[in-house]
Amino acid sequence: MCGIIGINSNKPVTGVILNSLKKLEYRGYDSAGVATLVNGIINETKCEGRVENLENIIFKNKNDGSLGIGHVRWATHGQPSEVNAHPHSSEKVSVVHNGIIENSTLLKKHLIRAGHVFKSQTDTEVITHLITEYLKNNDLKTSILKMLKRLHGSFALGIIFKDFPDIIVGARRGSPLAVGYGPNENYLGSDSYALKSMTNKVSYLDDGEFCFIKKKEVQFFNSDGNKINKQVLEVSSDDQSYDKGNFKHFMAKEIHEQPNTIKSCLKEYIDKINNEINIINFPWNNKEIKNIKLIGCGTAYHSCLMAKYWIEQLTDLEVETDIASEFRYRKNKFKNSQLYVFVSQSGETADTYAALDLCKKNKMKTCSIVNVVESSIARDSDYVLPIHCGPEVGVASTKAFMGQLLVLYLLTLKLSFLHDKISKENYGLKISSLLELPKLIENTLKIERDIQEASKDFSKAKGSMFLGRGYSFPIALEGALKLKELAYVHAEGYPAGEMKHGPLALIENGMPVVVIAPRDKFYNKTISNMQEVISRGGKVLLISNKSTDEISSENLWKKIQVETISDELFPFLITIPLQLLAYYAANALGHDIDKPRNLAKSVTVE
Ligand code: M6R
């Protein structure tokens, strides 16, 4: 869960590496470092904290060269500190690494016995010492091959050498790695996003492969060391998304972008002339599908859970959801009638990718719902449904969650129609209602002021609860996750009907509780649950929709009413106040909203 950049050029590279590292901070931001070759010597600069700190240090002691590597880290082995920051260098080599070396303790013991002295607590440093050792008696390619054979675990590596001043080595097993091509210079990046400001021409290393990046050419090798050719792909450029515009944070911008991102996504998928959903050309026979398994992590898992309710309601398909980190280690029953759907904004989440890989190995039908179409998960699935919401920069997922919900709902509707579970007329009506969504989301955003007011109490709370039933339950989970990750306030999402079975004991005087109660079939039941919370001192913020019959506000702390919409689509609207609630609670606390503590945007280690 770190970011790698490498540049081999004939111009100074440090400034460009630092700029790319800033873009890569979504992958980790607890320490950073750069190593360049200056007059044949490896020159390493590292620091704890952000790339900004690194920039200040480098500015004072310029260490420029025309070949170098850089890294942003999210600590796995050893605390975030200068000594544990990457690169890890010896006199001869310097290494940056994403992933985890599982046998590092054993390798370290052997290397210490052979006389190597370790400086850091990281697993990565064994790689530096292993190559240094092999280079004593082998050529470069043999040393790399021997080193790779010794490593267990997952990794993406970038390596530079004192004695091979025109080569950056890249190697991949498990963690993604991209190579970029420029005029008289070539690049290495943990993903194509890192390379976007420099080139849109990239190749991706597959598992087991490594490469030699020279200024004018790149040589690729398979795990036996044989030369191979790689396809060069063109990736899209979307640089305007990396500008906050008039907003204080990317998260605020991304929340407010949602009417437009939903509109763009609808444009991609809805054929307005024929009132049809353009999810076509499935690489399987739809009639064969009897069960669906939805898999994701964090927010993406919550969209899977939401889709479970829709699929159950609108189709006869059996549906299950799974958290990727659990699924990948369970004894799963794979059946030919199953479709596996993987949901991931980044398309790089290690556990989700491993779950996909497991399904592929068991010859299952796979479909991914991603934002980054060049990602590993998208590239390796049979069928890809992009969410078309543009790059999401804030670590907390907002517009991507909304995009995932939309694509999952469209897929559900399409399957319902293809399986003859919905009439043509009803199908058309549901598609038409979807077209109203952007406007309704825009109107819902007008509650911002009220939410900002309510958020103050949440920011001061020791703990809080988010309750809902039916379609509102997965959104309650998502609301609680947002508050946890941004305001660092303990928050539990619960089915409202489950409160009496234990969690009600947590309610104490003044505890803020969000109750989501649209005017659906659960309304009266949820309101009764709400009264139980109020009678025990809970301070309830009720989120419902506008209606002619007034909600009795007796003892209610606050009430927010969003636009009226069908029950099925209500989740799209209630998501907005919950995103804003977490945003403003975190803002009141002065937190780093786009980069919450201990987290990273793309979780590329398990
Ligand atoms: O990129 P992915 O959608 O696979 O990421 C999954 C989770 O790490 C992610 O949704 C995480 O929970 C968010 N930070 C929540 O806002």
Side-chain angles (χ1 to χ4, degrees):
M1 212 154 94
C2 310
I4 289 178
I5 183 80
I7 306 179
N8 191 351
S9 176
N10 46 23
K11 296 180 297 222
V13 291
T14 310
V16 193
I17 290 180
L18 287 170
N19 281 340
S20 303
L21 288 182
K22 281 186 197 156
K23 282 192 163 187
L24 279 174
E25 278 192 321
Y26 76 95
R27 299 177 72 105
Y29 37 81
D30 57 33
S31 48
V34 172
T36 51
L37 263 190
V38 183
N39 303 325
I41 290 173
I42 292 172
N43 193 338
E44 177 198 276
T45 314
K46 320 199 278 192
C47 72
E48 192 184 328
R50 300 284 161 85
V51 178
E52 222 182 308
N53 304 352
L54 187 69
E55 204 169 33
N56 291 335
I57 301 169
I58 289 180
F59 188 67
K60 285 184 204 137
N61 329 292
K62 268 219 167 289
N63 69 345
D64 231 347
S66 59
L67 173 146
I69 48 177
H71 191 263
V72 282
R73 176 170 186 250
W74 185 86
T76 57
H77 285 61
Q79 285 177 346
S81 63
E82 184 187 333
V83 73
N84 288 334
H86 300 210
H88 291 280
S89 311
S90 66
E91 192 209 333
K92 297 278 184 184
V93 302
S94 183
V95 177
V96 287
H97 164 221
N98 287 355
I100 293 178
I101 306 302
E102 285 165 2
N103 57 338
S104 62
T105 314
L106 193 68
L107 290 173
K108 194 169 172 175
K109 263 191 203 153
H110 292 316
L111 285 158
I112 288 172
R113 244 181 264 138
H116 290 259
V117 179
F118 280 75
K119 294 180 254 183
S120 74
Q121 290 89 49
T122 65
D123 51 341
T124 306
E125 203 182 336
V126 296
I127 305 172
T128 309
H129 292 283
L130 269 181
I131 315 172
T132 308
E133 186 64 29
Y134 285 128
L135 280 173
K136 286 181 186 162
N137 301 311
N138 299 281
D139 62 21
L140 180 61
K141 196 164 97 180
T142 315
S143 302
I144 297 293
L145 277 166
K146 287 191 171 195
M147 176 273 292
L148 291 175
K149 287 217 167 82
R150 299 282 302 276
L151 303 181
H152 296 173
S154 69
F155 50 82
L157 304 175
I159 314 169
I160 60 171
F161 308 84
K162 178 180 190 297
D163 298 330
F164 305 95
D166 186 34
I167 292 178
I168 299 178
V169 167
R172 171 194 171 163
R173 192 189 301 156
S175 303
L177 202 57
V179 167
Y181 305 90
N184 298 319
E185 55 183 29
N186 290 311
Y187 321 99
L188 182 72
S190 36
D191 54 30
S192 58
Y193 172 48
L195 308 176
K196 265 187 181 164
S197 58
M198 297 174 281
T199 182
N200 66 343
K201 292 196 171 42
V202 299
S203 298
Y204 294 98
L205 268 80
D206 285 316
D207 266 351
E209 293 175 355
F210 63 100
C211 62
F212 288 177
I213 299 175
K214 302 183 177 181
K215 281 183 195 55
K216 295 204 172 159
E217 64 160 336
V218 182
Q219 295 167 342
F220 293 93
F221 306 92
N222 64 16
S223 53
D224 296 323
N226 299 321
K227 263 196 172 180
I228 49 169
N229 292 322
K230 298 293 291 182
Q231 215 186 337
V232 179
L233 306 164
E234 283 205 10
V235 294
S236 56
S237 105
D238 20 38
D239 261 358
Q240 75 284 9
S241 299
Y242 305 111
D243 180 2
K244 279 187 253 187
N246 291 327
F247 291 93
K248 190 172 166 197
H249 300 102
F250 278 106
M251 184 185 178
K253 177 178 174 239
E254 286 159 3
I255 291 174
H256 284 270
E257 270 172 1
Q258 292 175 115
N260 284 334
T261 55
I262 289 295
K263 200 189 266 173
S264 320
C265 190
L266 285 167
K267 229 187 224 164
E268 295 288 336
Y269 286 107
I270 305 268
D271 166 357
K272 282 194 194 163
I273 297 171
N274 299 306
N275 221 13
E276 183 46 289
I277 297 171
N278 275 331
I279 298 186
I280 48 173
N281 297 333
F282 293 97
W284 53 73
N285 175 357
N286 269 304
K287 298 270 173 187
E288 277 174 16
I289 293 173
K290 303 273 180 278
N291 344 66
I292 296 202
K293 181 87 141 183
L294 302 148
I295 298 174
C297 300
T299 289
Y301 173 71
H302 294 154
S303 29
C304 294
L305 208 52
M306 188 68 246
K308 178 181 160 125
Y309 283 79
W310 284 326
I311 295 170
E312 276 173 355
Q313 185 64 33
L314 296 168
T315 76
D316 273 353
L317 299 167
E318 279 176 27
V319 52
E320 278 176 41
T321 57
D322 230 313
I323 291 177
S325 55
E326 289 297 311
F327 172 83
R328 62 183 288 193
Y329 293 113
R330 274 217 314 279
K331 194 172 164 200
N332 297 292
K333 307 269 178 306
F334 292 106
K335 291 180 251 168
N336 285 336
S337 59
Q338 268 170 333
L339 169 65
Y340 284 84
V341 179
F342 299 87
V343 183
S344 173
Q345 187 283 131
S346 61
E348 300 294 352
T349 300
D351 285 315
T352 314
Y353 183 80
L356 165 70
D357 196 44
L358 181 66
C359 291
K360 298 272 294 175
K361 286 186 175 129
N362 283 280
K363 304 202 168 15
M364 293 292 103
K365 302 171 185 67
T366 58
C367 166
S368 62
I369 295 180
V370 294
N371 194 25
V372 184
V373 285
E374 300 100 3
S375 61
S376 307
I377 290 176
R379 279 182 286 122
D380 289 351
S381 333
D382 299 331
Y383 192 64
V384 184
L385 294 170
I387 60 172
H388 299 289
C389 73
E392 189 179 63
V393 180
V395 165
S397 193
T398 52
K399 63 176 182 174
F401 177 63
M402 204 68 119
Q404 290 161 357
L405 293 188
L406 179 57
V407 174
L408 284 160
Y409 184 74
L410 290 167
L411 179 65
T412 307
L413 268 190
K414 185 77 184 197
L415 291 174
S416 172
F417 186 61
L418 293 174
H419 284 244
D420 303 320
K421 291 293 157 214
I422 189 170
S423 67
K424 177 86 186 146
E425 192 196 352
N426 206 0
Y427 180 59
L429 284 173
K430 284 185 191 290
I431 293 173
S432 305
S433 323
L434 274 174
L435 298 174
E436 307 292 319
L437 260 184
K439 188 78 207 144
L440 292 171
I441 293 174
E442 198 176 310
N443 291 345
T444 307
L445 281 164
K446 292 184 188 145
I447 53 163
E448 189 160 7
R449 271 275 154 80
D450 299 338
I451 287 286
Q452 186 172 2
E453 199 41 47
S455 69
K456 289 180 193 149
D457 290 65
F458 282 83
S459 64
K460 289 182 213 133
K462 262 200 316 213
S464 64
M465 297 210 117
F466 289 68
L467 310 178
R469 283 172 180 255
Y471 293 138
S472 304
F473 165 55
I475 306 299
L477 290 179
E478 175 58 10
L481 177 63
K482 287 278 110 49
L483 193 71
K484 279 183 259 212
E485 73 174 328
L486 290 158
Y488 321 147
V489 168
H490 184 75
E492 293 266 10
Y494 253 98
E498 189 64 11
M499 286 299 281
K500 288 194 210 50
H501 302 285
L504 203 54
L506 290 172
I507 304 292
E508 52 185 40
N509 223 6
M511 181 187 203
V513 177
V514 173
V515 174
I516 307 168
R519 313 293 178 127
D520 58 12
K521 63 179 178 186
F522 298 113
Y523 181 69
N524 289 331
K525 290 186 190 303
T526 313
I527 293 297
S528 303
N529 297 136
M530 177 182 92
Q531 293 304 346
E532 288 156 8
V533 168
I534 292 174
S535 352
R536 280 150 188 93
K539 240 172 136 178
V540 169
L541 166 63
L542 172 68
I543 303 181
S544 186
N545 44 348
K546 291 179 185 153
S547 163
T548 41
D549 56 321
E550 251 318 288
I551 299 170
S552 142
S553 41
E554 214 184 312
N555 300 327
L556 203 59
W557 172 52
K558 277 188 198 313
K559 167 175 80 178
I560 302 275
Q561 285 174 278
V562 302
E563 297 288 321
T564 301
I565 197 168
S566 69
D567 294 352
E568 270 162 43
L569 300 186
F570 188 66
F572 288 93
L573 302 192
I574 29 160
T575 297
I576 302 281
L578 301 188
Q579 292 172 342
L580 289 169
L581 183 71
Y583 174 78
Y584 280 111
N587 195 41
L589 293 161
H591 290 174
D592 190 347
I593 292 185
D594 290 326
K595 294 190 176 85
R597 70 180 183 200
N598 304 341
L599 301 179
K601 182 73 183 157
S602 188
V603 184
T604 54
V605 289
E606 69 169 293

